[in-house]
Amino acid sequence: AAVLVTALTGGFRTAAAPAPQRVTAGDAVDIGPVRLAAQGWTIRDDIATNGLEYAGAAAWLVVEAEVTALTDATITFPQRSLGLPPELEVDGEPDRVLLLADATLAPGLQPGLPARVALLWPVGDVPDPGDDLEVSYLRSRLSDSTIDAGRVWRADGVAAHTTLPRDDAAGDALVEEDL
């Protein structure tokens, strides 16, 4: 009887996702598997230069961020974590995630240990976005997967919006020396 009453009163409906909040650049946002704090952005062509030719791009859109894994085990950076403006004409996922400390590609994120990373998207001939870049933090939730025979993180809407300031020093730690 209790199950019938619960079902009739709508008790089995899933809770609506909270409305996206507005945060300041550098504020940390819990997006599921990680806490992410995007801090600044720029466009540059002097880092990961071998990847530019492979991606067929003239430069990278670089976003520097601090990320902390909220999981119990080491994970890689969640590719669907930031949404960029459509006028940039870039794929939703960064082409590369590099650890700023040593340029490690797709670094393992240790639970509870903050890491500074650079997210790189290839860009071609797109209009310069100006001084500010509007981005969205994309939330993920754990979900059962019959294909992967386990639990996976799946996109679950927008958690927050922010405006990142242009910072031409973003990515300086990854600049390649001229040989």
Side-chain angles (χ1 to χ4, degrees), residues 36-127:
L36 182 62
Q39 297 171 350
W41 75 278
T42 194
I43 294 177
R44 56 189 320 157
D45 63 0
D46 58 351
I47 60 177
T49 55
N50 63 334
L52 283 174
E53 184 177 340
Y54 179 76
W60 297 111
L61 172 85
V62 179
V63 173
E64 272 199 25
E66 183 171 283
V67 60
T68 305
L70 300 177
T71 57
D72 293 333
T74 300
I75 62 169
T76 57
F77 188 85
Q79 292 295 307
R80 299 289 295 166
S81 57
L82 287 179
L84 300 175
E87 59 269 14
L88 291 179
E89 300 174 11
V90 296
D91 186 22
E93 299 178 4
D95 187 74
R96 295 170 183 242
V97 177
L98 300 172
L99 190 63
L100 288 171
D102 63 5
T104 299
L105 179 64
L109 302 173
Q110 304 301 316
L113 182 63
R116 300 227 353 114
V117 295
L119 312 175
L120 281 60
W121 286 267
V123 292
D125 284 338
V126 295

